[in-house]
Amino acid sequence: MKIVFFGTPQFAVPTLEKLLNHPEFEVLAVVTQPDKRRERGNKLTPTPVKAIITAHNLPVWQPERVKKDTETLTKLKQLNADVFVVVAYGQILSSKILNMPKLACINVHGSILPKYRGAAPIQWCLYNGERETGITTMLMDAGMDTGAMLQIATTPIGLLDTAQDLAERLAVIGGDLLLETLLKLERQEIQPIPQDNLAATYAPLIQKQDYVLDWSKSAIQLHNQIRGFHPNCTASFRNNLLKITASAPLDSVSDRDLPPELQELIHKLPDLSNWSDRPGVVVSIAKGIGVIVQTGEGLLLLREVQLAGKRPQSGWDFVNGSRLTVGEVFGAGS
């Protein structure tokens, strides 16, 4: 089966690697986003997909807008591919492109469709506190993740899983599912299933305001925001910007999903539900672990933070380095 691969971030890499190493598939070319300049040194940095493909002596095309780039469109047409595989490419494909391959354009999407259509399914499913997610392979059409579904693989979500953790796991699942989907498609063993549009939810691009922590929210809401938009959620401390990169809600409901040391911490706070102070106040310091902050409902443990211009550090190192004391206040980020 002759394939053209469209993909850009690290999430797409495991799928591409599996295609490159499988004897029944031939990757003819790769389409990825243009290289970007990074802040430090202003050097052009290749996309993760481009970085791994250089050793394979394959054409790599990086049009600014693929559906408007006549040269790339001509090359794609000339390849006469069986399938286009799309994994987090980052551009919308036109109907003209979708109609080029002999069999289909197949997308590997990071959710259980029709939930979380759109650009950031992994982040928003964590933000919403989902306990399960997965990968859907689907036939692409002109809509935003609206095509008929081919196969689905699921995975549970742990309470402390971050978007990075989940993306790494789903990327591997997606690669395996895509291979299975292609083989079954070739053998005509798959019956596409239309999506239920009435059950659809959306996962839009993340905006800067989505990173701002509001301590009047509940501990579980803040925790889900922190892990969903990891590592970018912001608070303020002593008038300085502070990223909160890892947390844990301290309540009996979450107890069963926490590691033993955090379960023990909750058990050492038997009057947890009676604690009351204004949101954002440091109500306790867990020795060797981190900072405990009052929220609008419940307590939140700050397990890891990052000061502006610094590397992430444990909550306990932050306590020692800043000489933090009970009664200090965290504010909203910006």
Side-chain angles (χ1 to χ4, degrees):
M1 184 180 288
K2 299 181 183 300
I3 295 169
V4 176
F5 186 87
F6 293 72
T8 298
Q10 183 61 37
F11 182 77
V13 169
T15 301
L16 176 56
E17 289 180 327
K18 288 178 184 294
L19 287 172
L20 290 168
N21 292 322
H22 198 287
E24 293 195 37
F25 304 118
E26 179 186 0
V27 178
L28 303 176
V30 171
V31 186
T32 187
Q33 293 273 52
D35 297 347
K36 289 188 176 181
R37 295 192 181 276
R38 302 300 178 186
E39 292 181 6
R40 293 183 179 180
N42 200 32
K43 292 183 179 179
L44 279 174
T45 303
T47 70
V49 161
K50 181 181 178 181
I52 71 145
I53 204 67
T54 51
H56 291 269
N57 195 31
L58 287 173
V60 180
W61 303 326
Q62 297 178 272
E64 289 285 347
R65 296 186 66 194
V66 65
K67 62 184 179 181
K68 299 287 187 180
D69 192 298
T70 54
E71 182 180 354
T72 301
L73 292 174
T74 299
K75 290 178 180 177
L76 285 171
K77 184 69 173 177
Q78 290 173 343
L79 287 176
N80 202 27
D82 297 307
V83 173
F84 288 176
V85 170
V86 182
V87 187
Y89 172 47
Q91 294 188 38
I92 295 174
L93 303 188
S94 64
S95 296
K96 184 176 183 179
I97 296 174
L98 296 177
N99 291 327
M100 284 182 185
K102 296 176 185 176
L103 294 177
C105 279
I106 297 177
N107 179 234
V108 178
H109 186 73
S111 79
I112 303 171
L113 290 171
K115 296 185 71 174
Y116 300 106
R117 295 172 176 174
I122 295 171
Q123 292 87 339
W124 286 106
C125 84
L126 285 169
Y127 178 86
N128 289 326
E130 300 284 1
R131 303 295 295 268
E132 182 183 64
T133 188
I135 291 287
T136 305
T137 52
M138 55 172 282
L139 298 175
M140 296 181 68
D141 61 18
M144 175 64 76
D145 301 321
T146 56
M149 300 177 294
L150 297 171
Q151 289 191 283
I152 294 174
T154 64
T155 185
I157 300 175
L159 182 63
L160 299 186
D161 279 342
T162 66
Q164 181 177 338
D165 299 328
L166 198 51
E168 290 174 357
R169 191 156 77 245
L170 287 173
V172 175
I173 293 171
D176 291 334
L177 190 66
L178 187 274
L179 294 188
E180 183 182 334
T181 299
L182 290 176
L183 291 171
K184 286 186 175 182
L185 186 69
E186 190 174 37
R187 299 169 190 151
Q188 298 183 336
E189 295 175 353
I190 288 184
Q191 181 63 44
I193 301 171
Q195 293 188 44
D196 180 0
N197 291 325
L198 296 178
T201 62
Y202 291 88
L205 285 170
I206 300 165
Q207 306 297 322
K208 185 177 180 181
Q209 62 266 25
D210 294 322
Y211 298 135
V212 177
L213 297 175
D214 176 359
W215 297 100
S216 67
K217 292 182 178 180
S218 70
I220 188 64
Q221 286 175 318
L222 287 164
H223 172 67
N224 288 338
Q225 182 179 0
I226 289 164
R227 69 196 186 117
F229 302 145
H230 173 86
N232 296 310
C233 286
T234 58
S236 63
F237 180 71
R238 297 176 185 170
N239 296 318
N240 292 313
L241 191 67
L242 179 73
K243 287 185 177 180
I244 312 297
T245 51
S247 60
L250 299 181
D251 57 59
S252 57
V253 175
S254 304
D255 187 352
R256 65 183 184 276
D257 297 318
L258 293 172
E261 65 271 18
L262 297 188
Q263 292 183 23
E264 183 180 351
L265 174 60
I266 292 177
H267 296 156
K268 287 180 179 178
L269 300 169
D271 57 346
L272 200 64
S273 61
N274 296 324
W275 289 47
S276 62
D277 211 322
R278 64 190 178 95
V281 172
V282 176
V283 295
S284 184
I285 295 171
K287 187 175 181 180
I289 302 177
V291 188
I292 300 176
V293 181
Q294 178 68 52
T295 71
E297 181 183 344
L299 303 180
L300 187 69
L301 173 67
L302 308 187
R303 298 165 49 231
E304 184 182 86
V305 304
Q306 184 176 6
L307 294 161
K310 304 291 185 179
R311 292 183 177 181
Q313 60 182 160
S314 71
W316 181 242
D317 286 343
F318 172 64
V319 168
N320 290 328
S322 62
R323 299 184 182 276
L324 184 146
T325 59
V326 171
E328 293 199 69
V329 181
F330 288 90
S334 60

